[in-house]
Amino acid sequence: MERRDEKERRRGVVSIGAVARRIRAYGGQFLLLAALTLVATLVISGVPRIVNAHAEQGLRAHLGTVPAQQRDVTYSTGPLVPTNEGGSPVATRQGDLATLEAGMPPVVRRMVERRWFTAETRPSRVVGPDLAAKNLLVDLGLRAVSGTAEAGTLVDGRWPADAPEGEPVQVALAADVARQLNLRVGSRLTLAAPGPVSPTAPPRATVDVVGLFAPRDDTDGFWDGLPPLLRVGEPPGDGDPFIAVGVVDAAALNRQAVAGWPLAFSWRYRMGADGIDARELDQVIDGLQQLTREAEGRNIVQGLDLPLGEFAAEVDSARTVLGVIAAGVLATLAGLVVLAAGLLVRRRRSEFTLLRARGGAATTSAGRSLTEALLVVPPAGALGWLVGGLAPGAPGGTLWFAVAATVLVALALPVATLAASRGGAGRRELIRSRPSARRLTVEAGLLVLAGLAVVLLRRRGLTPGEVDPLLVSVPVLLAVAAAVVAMRLYPWPLRLVSRLAARARGSVAFLGTARAGRSVVAVPLVVVVLAIATAAFCAVTAAGIEASRDRAASRVVPADALILGDRIAPDTGAELERLPGVRAASPVLHEAGQRLAKDAIGTETRLGGVTVLMVDGPALARIVRESGVDVTVPAALLAPAGGGGPLPAVVSPTVAAELADAGLDGSAFVSAQGQRYEFRVAGQAESFPLLRAESSRFVVLPWQSLPRRDYAAVPTGFLVAGDDLDGEALRRAGDAGQSRFQTGGAVTGRERPRGVELLTFADTRRQVGEGGANGVLAFGFTAGAAGGTALGLLAIAFTVLAGARERGQVLSRLRTLGLSRRQWRGLLLVELVPLVGVSVVTGALVGTLLPLLLTPVLGLSAFTDGVEVRVAFEPGLAAAVVALGALALGFAVAVEALNNRRMRLGEVLRLGEEN
């Protein structure tokens, strides 16, 4: 083959057949290079698609939790008296439904899922015999909505139609509304004209109830509107009327408008998730805000930009984290490409040396390598791109990145060939060799660059929504810098171990440490450190986010369950503790908007309102302990009962500063349920469980220390600790306690109280961790951890393969001297333990350090309900590092055994002359 290639080289002809023969001769090495190219382009093509798919899924789930009214874009006008619309003002305005939609920005217009036009009169006084029978004071509005017959079903009568001129206006009412107002089909009413009206307009109109209806689905958004169609509006005060709205035909309402009655119009558009692209969130938000600015004389109401902005912030944060992970994975792949190219050149060193000996230039070998790479790398890159295109989700626009990666991989082989032609082929003594001044300068510059990048990142921060090149370079720079430091420290302990092994009995330890000192570790060490650092970063950051979500859930529910109501009978706690699975229950009292006072008579302090929270400190500590939530009860709230003087209170820093400035930090008063309590500032807290995250003005009092009063404090909720709690039983006990309090006093309520609200820690924790862009983040962490671990093992396999031929020669000689298979495996372990141990430990340390440096600028609090993400050392990390090291060593031994079986060690001494 070499003679044929030489003849073709002399003729200056590049034979595809000769190139193919060389590729086939070194098929294993070229297959590795092609596989790495395929994986790189697969990652570049497929991962953005999967991320976009998760973002789309998260966006739909996020919008599904948004109330229907908040997804509406509503244009409206005030009451208008027709001027020059001709004979059909309602029809003229209805035509604007399509006009307004056509004028929306395209990204907003694609989101429109449903649309409604409404014309209505302002509610005005209505009278009739059936209303007078119940002495009801009612204002009635008339409303025409497109699609009423399709959205409702008749209970009695028929749908209203346009009556001839002079006949009563026909109206249909919701069945529940008619029942509450004592109306039925056939009821006749007299409706006063809504003001202001023209002087020629009729002052009143006769209205007949012709139908009663019920909604097919009262939650689909069709019936939304103010005043509501499906229920009676309660009077705001004594002497005020009930508010009701009836459905009329558009033509009948148009007749009233022509007669001079003013009408109000609205055009409502329901936005859906099917028409939105997660990649266009910024354009959608800008388009919604543009609608607000360009209302053209109409009122416009929309609240969709707020939830979309929240989701966009989560996606931006997730993409930033994914940028860090992708940088680590791609840098590791680049290192593996360098290892693969070096392995291929190492196997062909004799071939390239022969070419130089026959008069070939250094670029001749490089040109040969480039030709071979062009036959292998581009097809592999194209295949990886096509396979990645099969992933679900929209494309990420990364074609040029894939092309650039393919070009760089193709150039890696000729560059490695040129580098090998300049380097010597002799054996390197890692322990005794000293780096050149040039190499030391480069390494020192790399360390300085990594430090400067960290400082700049912490000072400058990030631009939300952009993958900052500085951010994605910091993890790679830190990992490479740490690998350089480890490589410089690596020979020192190895030298000491080598000396000890030389004095010990047996040959395995001596030979293993000797070979470890002669192995090439620079590139393998850097690659393994990069891979393990990426995996550790994903694992540590994910654990920190999960712990922060636990804290976010415990801030809302610092127990296994929380029952909230208006006022609940105090003996409900004992009732709860008798339920199956309940171990403890403790009362809480929450009242917002209370005023601070200087004395018991209520002298005003002019310091503003506060939220008062009362908790039983010892009982809360027990419940926290029983529930296993991450909450610390301040010592000030654990004061024993019966103490005199002001109550020890925990207050927010804002309140503490105001009280100190007013000289009231030692004694102040606050009201709760009409009783005034004296307290002193015994502690401060930025936040406290059971309070809103943004609450900055609160006072927490110890329930067990409250003084005796004629009217004792009444719980507004109960904390419950237990196992396998029955939610329905807890809710029934809470409702019963609330009813007992309302009916047990001297003054009882007229209406049944609203049912209690039950919150569980498990449900709250699940809500914090679900929805939004959490799917994108979870995918990134899983893929990063798994990919980093797999690529680290692959790098170790490359390290084993790089010295396979030399190791095979040594093994053949030692086997003839009596070395057993078990001793050979031990020798291989001793040779690889220093490299694997140093690289895995260094990578784990870098991966643990990266979250501490990057978490403040990644905006991860968007995934933890606003709770700051704190990354701490996890005991499981040490165990994972040990397990990973053991796995890597076992994998290396398996690769070596497989390679030895393929090479047939009895013939390996004839494969080359290197000694």
Side-chain angles (χ1 to χ4, degrees), residues 317-342:
S317 180
R319 292 189 188 278
T320 302
V321 176
L322 288 177
V324 174
I325 297 173
V329 171
L330 292 178
T332 305
L333 281 172
L336 289 175
V337 168
V338 173
L339 285 176

PDB file of all heavy atoms in Angstrom, residues 317-342:
ATOM      1  N   SER A 317     -33.222  32.536  32.477  1.00  0.00           N
ATOM      2  CA  SER A 317     -32.338  31.949  33.481  1.00  0.00           C
ATOM      3  C   SER A 317     -31.965  30.521  33.109  1.00  0.00           C
ATOM      4  O   SER A 317     -30.804  30.113  33.233  1.00  0.00           O
ATOM      5  CB  SER A 317     -33.019  31.984  34.853  1.00  0.00           C
ATOM      6  OG  SER A 317     -32.182  31.423  35.836  1.00  0.00           O
ATOM      7  N   ALA A 318     -32.948  29.755  32.621  1.00  0.00           N
ATOM      8  CA  ALA A 318     -32.667  28.371  32.230  1.00  0.00           C
ATOM      9  C   ALA A 318     -31.694  28.321  31.060  1.00  0.00           C
ATOM     10  O   ALA A 318     -30.774  27.482  31.036  1.00  0.00           O
ATOM     11  CB  ALA A 318     -33.968  27.653  31.867  1.00  0.00           C
ATOM     12  N   ARG A 319     -31.868  29.203  30.085  1.00  0.00           N
ATOM     13  CA  ARG A 319     -30.957  29.208  28.939  1.00  0.00           C
ATOM     14  C   ARG A 319     -29.549  29.606  29.366  1.00  0.00           C
ATOM     15  O   ARG A 319     -28.558  29.118  28.805  1.00  0.00           O
ATOM     16  CB  ARG A 319     -31.473  30.157  27.859  1.00  0.00           C
ATOM     17  CG  ARG A 319     -32.751  29.685  27.182  1.00  0.00           C
ATOM     18  CD  ARG A 319     -33.102  30.543  25.984  1.00  0.00           C
ATOM     19  NE  ARG A 319     -34.403  30.216  25.437  1.00  0.00           N
ATOM     20  CZ  ARG A 319     -34.632  29.207  24.605  1.00  0.00           C
ATOM     21  NH1 ARG A 319     -33.622  28.445  24.236  1.00  0.00           N
ATOM     22  NH2 ARG A 319     -35.852  28.971  24.154  1.00  0.00           N
ATOM     23  N   THR A 320     -29.436  30.491  30.340  1.00  0.00           N
ATOM     24  CA  THR A 320     -28.113  30.867  30.838  1.00  0.00           C
ATOM     25  C   THR A 320     -27.425  29.668  31.476  1.00  0.00           C
ATOM     26  O   THR A 320     -26.238  29.404  31.231  1.00  0.00           O
ATOM     27  CB  THR A 320     -28.244  32.003  31.859  1.00  0.00           C
ATOM     28  OG1 THR A 320     -28.900  33.113  31.244  1.00  0.00           O
ATOM     29  CG2 THR A 320     -26.879  32.450  32.335  1.00  0.00           C
ATOM     30  N   VAL A 321     -28.169  28.922  32.302  1.00  0.00           N
ATOM     31  CA  VAL A 321     -27.596  27.718  32.914  1.00  0.00           C
ATOM     32  C   VAL A 321     -27.231  26.703  31.840  1.00  0.00           C
ATOM     33  O   VAL A 321     -26.160  26.067  31.901  1.00  0.00           O
ATOM     34  CB  VAL A 321     -28.590  27.122  33.927  1.00  0.00           C
ATOM     35  CG1 VAL A 321     -28.044  25.825  34.500  1.00  0.00           C
ATOM     36  CG2 VAL A 321     -28.861  28.103  35.047  1.00  0.00           C
ATOM     37  N   LEU A 322     -28.103  26.531  30.844  1.00  0.00           N
ATOM     38  CA  LEU A 322     -27.809  25.594  29.763  1.00  0.00           C
ATOM     39  C   LEU A 322     -26.574  26.021  28.977  1.00  0.00           C
ATOM     40  O   LEU A 322     -25.817  25.173  28.484  1.00  0.00           O
ATOM     41  CB  LEU A 322     -29.008  25.490  28.824  1.00  0.00           C
ATOM     42  CG  LEU A 322     -30.223  24.734  29.363  1.00  0.00           C
ATOM     43  CD1 LEU A 322     -31.354  24.769  28.350  1.00  0.00           C
ATOM     44  CD2 LEU A 322     -29.868  23.302  29.683  1.00  0.00           C
ATOM     45  N   GLY A 323     -26.355  27.341  28.854  1.00  0.00           N
ATOM     46  CA  GLY A 323     -25.145  27.809  28.188  1.00  0.00           C
ATOM     47  C   GLY A 323     -23.887  27.377  28.928  1.00  0.00           C
ATOM     48  O   GLY A 323     -22.890  26.969  28.307  1.00  0.00           O
ATOM     49  N   VAL A 324     -23.927  27.448  30.257  1.00  0.00           N
ATOM     50  CA  VAL A 324     -22.777  27.002  31.058  1.00  0.00           C
ATOM     51  C   VAL A 324     -22.556  25.502  30.866  1.00  0.00           C
ATOM     52  O   VAL A 324     -21.418  25.043  30.672  1.00  0.00           O
ATOM     53  CB  VAL A 324     -23.014  27.337  32.539  1.00  0.00           C
ATOM     54  CG1 VAL A 324     -21.920  26.763  33.406  1.00  0.00           C
ATOM     55  CG2 VAL A 324     -23.109  28.842  32.735  1.00  0.00           C
ATOM     56  N   ILE A 325     -23.643  24.729  30.924  1.00  0.00           N
ATOM     57  CA  ILE A 325     -23.514  23.277  30.781  1.00  0.00           C
ATOM     58  C   ILE A 325     -23.025  22.921  29.373  1.00  0.00           C
ATOM     59  O   ILE A 325     -22.137  22.073  29.211  1.00  0.00           O
ATOM     60  CB  ILE A 325     -24.864  22.609  31.076  1.00  0.00           C
ATOM     61  CG1 ILE A 325     -25.280  22.884  32.522  1.00  0.00           C
ATOM     62  CG2 ILE A 325     -24.788  21.112  30.827  1.00  0.00           C
ATOM     63  CD1 ILE A 325     -26.686  22.412  32.856  1.00  0.00           C
ATOM     64  N   ALA A 326     -23.604  23.570  28.354  1.00  0.00           N
ATOM     65  CA  ALA A 326     -23.202  23.275  26.975  1.00  0.00           C
ATOM     66  C   ALA A 326     -21.734  23.616  26.743  1.00  0.00           C
ATOM     67  O   ALA A 326     -21.029  22.888  26.028  1.00  0.00           O
ATOM     68  CB  ALA A 326     -24.086  24.047  26.001  1.00  0.00           C
ATOM     69  N   ALA A 327     -21.264  24.714  27.336  1.00  0.00           N
ATOM     70  CA  ALA A 327     -19.859  25.064  27.176  1.00  0.00           C
ATOM     71  C   ALA A 327     -18.958  23.978  27.746  1.00  0.00           C
ATOM     72  O   ALA A 327     -17.940  23.601  27.141  1.00  0.00           O
ATOM     73  CB  ALA A 327     -19.580  26.403  27.869  1.00  0.00           C
ATOM     74  N   GLY A 328     -19.327  23.443  28.918  1.00  0.00           N
ATOM     75  CA  GLY A 328     -18.528  22.369  29.498  1.00  0.00           C
ATOM     76  C   GLY A 328     -18.544  21.116  28.654  1.00  0.00           C
ATOM     77  O   GLY A 328     -17.505  20.475  28.437  1.00  0.00           O
ATOM     78  N   VAL A 329     -19.735  20.740  28.137  1.00  0.00           N
ATOM     79  CA  VAL A 329     -19.833  19.519  27.331  1.00  0.00           C
ATOM     80  C   VAL A 329     -19.077  19.673  26.017  1.00  0.00           C
ATOM     81  O   VAL A 329     -18.324  18.767  25.604  1.00  0.00           O
ATOM     82  CB  VAL A 329     -21.315  19.190  27.073  1.00  0.00           C
ATOM     83  CG1 VAL A 329     -21.452  18.052  26.067  1.00  0.00           C
ATOM     84  CG2 VAL A 329     -21.999  18.802  28.376  1.00  0.00           C
ATOM     85  N   LEU A 330     -19.248  20.809  25.335  1.00  0.00           N
ATOM     86  CA  LEU A 330     -18.564  21.009  24.048  1.00  0.00           C
ATOM     87  C   LEU A 330     -17.062  21.126  24.229  1.00  0.00           C
ATOM     88  O   LEU A 330     -16.290  20.646  23.389  1.00  0.00           O
ATOM     89  CB  LEU A 330     -19.129  22.249  23.357  1.00  0.00           C
ATOM     90  CG  LEU A 330     -20.585  22.131  22.887  1.00  0.00           C
ATOM     91  CD1 LEU A 330     -21.054  23.436  22.270  1.00  0.00           C
ATOM     92  CD2 LEU A 330     -20.737  20.995  21.880  1.00  0.00           C
ATOM     93  N   ALA A 331     -16.622  21.764  25.324  1.00  0.00           N
ATOM     94  CA  ALA A 331     -15.180  21.828  25.585  1.00  0.00           C
ATOM     95  C   ALA A 331     -14.619  20.436  25.843  1.00  0.00           C
ATOM     96  O   ALA A 331     -13.505  20.099  25.417  1.00  0.00           O
ATOM     97  CB  ALA A 331     -14.910  22.746  26.769  1.00  0.00           C
ATOM     98  N   THR A 332     -15.389  19.602  26.544  1.00  0.00           N
ATOM     99  CA  THR A 332     -14.948  18.221  26.768  1.00  0.00           C
ATOM    100  C   THR A 332     -14.878  17.458  25.455  1.00  0.00           C
ATOM    101  O   THR A 332     -13.929  16.694  25.213  1.00  0.00           O
ATOM    102  CB  THR A 332     -15.915  17.526  27.739  1.00  0.00           C
ATOM    103  OG1 THR A 332     -16.015  18.289  28.947  1.00  0.00           O
ATOM    104  CG2 THR A 332     -15.419  16.137  28.072  1.00  0.00           C
ATOM    105  N   LEU A 333     -15.879  17.646  24.594  1.00  0.00           N
ATOM    106  CA  LEU A 333     -15.833  17.000  23.283  1.00  0.00           C
ATOM    107  C   LEU A 333     -14.623  17.462  22.478  1.00  0.00           C
ATOM    108  O   LEU A 333     -13.978  16.660  21.782  1.00  0.00           O
ATOM    109  CB  LEU A 333     -17.120  17.303  22.523  1.00  0.00           C
ATOM    110  CG  LEU A 333     -18.357  16.477  22.908  1.00  0.00           C
ATOM    111  CD1 LEU A 333     -19.593  17.018  22.220  1.00  0.00           C
ATOM    112  CD2 LEU A 333     -18.151  15.008  22.546  1.00  0.00           C
ATOM    113  N   ALA A 334     -14.314  18.758  22.564  1.00  0.00           N
ATOM    114  CA  ALA A 334     -13.123  19.258  21.863  1.00  0.00           C
ATOM    115  C   ALA A 334     -11.864  18.587  22.391  1.00  0.00           C
ATOM    116  O   ALA A 334     -10.966  18.210  21.618  1.00  0.00           O
ATOM    117  CB  ALA A 334     -13.037  20.777  22.024  1.00  0.00           C
ATOM    118  N   GLY A 335     -11.774  18.416  23.711  1.00  0.00           N
ATOM    119  CA  GLY A 335     -10.617  17.718  24.270  1.00  0.00           C
ATOM    120  C   GLY A 335     -10.549  16.275  23.814  1.00  0.00           C
ATOM    121  O   GLY A 335      -9.454  15.746  23.543  1.00  0.00           O
ATOM    122  N   LEU A 336     -11.715  15.621  23.720  1.00  0.00           N
ATOM    123  CA  LEU A 336     -11.716  14.240  23.230  1.00  0.00           C
ATOM    124  C   LEU A 336     -11.281  14.167  21.771  1.00  0.00           C
ATOM    125  O   LEU A 336     -10.624  13.198  21.358  1.00  0.00           O
ATOM    126  CB  LEU A 336     -13.120  13.650  23.398  1.00  0.00           C
ATOM    127  CG  LEU A 336     -13.554  13.352  24.837  1.00  0.00           C
ATOM    128  CD1 LEU A 336     -15.003  12.899  24.861  1.00  0.00           C
ATOM    129  CD2 LEU A 336     -12.657  12.287  25.464  1.00  0.00           C
ATOM    130  N   VAL A 337     -11.664  15.160  20.984  1.00  0.00           N
ATOM    131  CA  VAL A 337     -11.215  15.191  19.590  1.00  0.00           C
ATOM    132  C   VAL A 337      -9.690  15.300  19.535  1.00  0.00           C
ATOM    133  O   VAL A 337      -9.023  14.621  18.732  1.00  0.00           O
ATOM    134  CB  VAL A 337     -11.882  16.353  18.840  1.00  0.00           C
ATOM    135  CG1 VAL A 337     -11.214  16.582  17.490  1.00  0.00           C
ATOM    136  CG2 VAL A 337     -13.364  16.085  18.655  1.00  0.00           C
ATOM    137  N   VAL A 338      -9.118  16.151  20.392  1.00  0.00           N
ATOM    138  CA  VAL A 338      -7.659  16.268  20.449  1.00  0.00           C
ATOM    139  C   VAL A 338      -7.026  14.934  20.843  1.00  0.00           C
ATOM    140  O   VAL A 338      -6.019  14.500  20.268  1.00  0.00           O
ATOM    141  CB  VAL A 338      -7.263  17.387  21.435  1.00  0.00           C
ATOM    142  CG1 VAL A 338      -5.754  17.418  21.629  1.00  0.00           C
ATOM    143  CG2 VAL A 338      -7.754  18.736  20.931  1.00  0.00           C
ATOM    144  N   LEU A 339      -7.623  14.246  21.826  1.00  0.00           N
ATOM    145  CA  LEU A 339      -7.103  12.941  22.229  1.00  0.00           C
ATOM    146  C   LEU A 339      -7.209  11.929  21.097  1.00  0.00           C
ATOM    147  O   LEU A 339      -6.270  11.145  20.857  1.00  0.00           O
ATOM    148  CB  LEU A 339      -7.878  12.435  23.452  1.00  0.00           C
ATOM    149  CG  LEU A 339      -7.562  13.094  24.795  1.00  0.00           C
ATOM    150  CD1 LEU A 339      -8.480  12.536  25.870  1.00  0.00           C
ATOM    151  CD2 LEU A 339      -6.114  12.855  25.177  1.00  0.00           C
ATOM    152  N   ALA A 340      -8.357  11.931  20.402  1.00  0.00           N
ATOM    153  CA  ALA A 340      -8.530  10.981  19.302  1.00  0.00           C
ATOM    154  C   ALA A 340      -7.549  11.254  18.172  1.00  0.00           C
ATOM    155  O   ALA A 340      -6.960  10.319  17.602  1.00  0.00           O
ATOM    156  CB  ALA A 340      -9.967  11.044  18.790  1.00  0.00           C
ATOM    157  N   ALA A 341      -7.375  12.535  17.832  1.00  0.00           N
ATOM    158  CA  ALA A 341      -6.409  12.873  16.781  1.00  0.00           C
ATOM    159  C   ALA A 341      -4.995  12.498  17.210  1.00  0.00           C
ATOM    160  O   ALA A 341      -4.204  11.964  16.406  1.00  0.00           O
ATOM    161  CB  ALA A 341      -6.498  14.363  16.465  1.00  0.00           C
ATOM    162  N   GLY A 342      -4.660  12.775  18.472  1.00  0.00           N
ATOM    163  CA  GLY A 342      -3.332  12.392  18.955  1.00  0.00           C
ATOM    164  C   GLY A 342      -3.125  10.895  18.941  1.00  0.00           C
ATOM    165  O   GLY A 342      -2.033  10.402  18.623  1.00  0.00           O
TER     166      GLY A 342
END
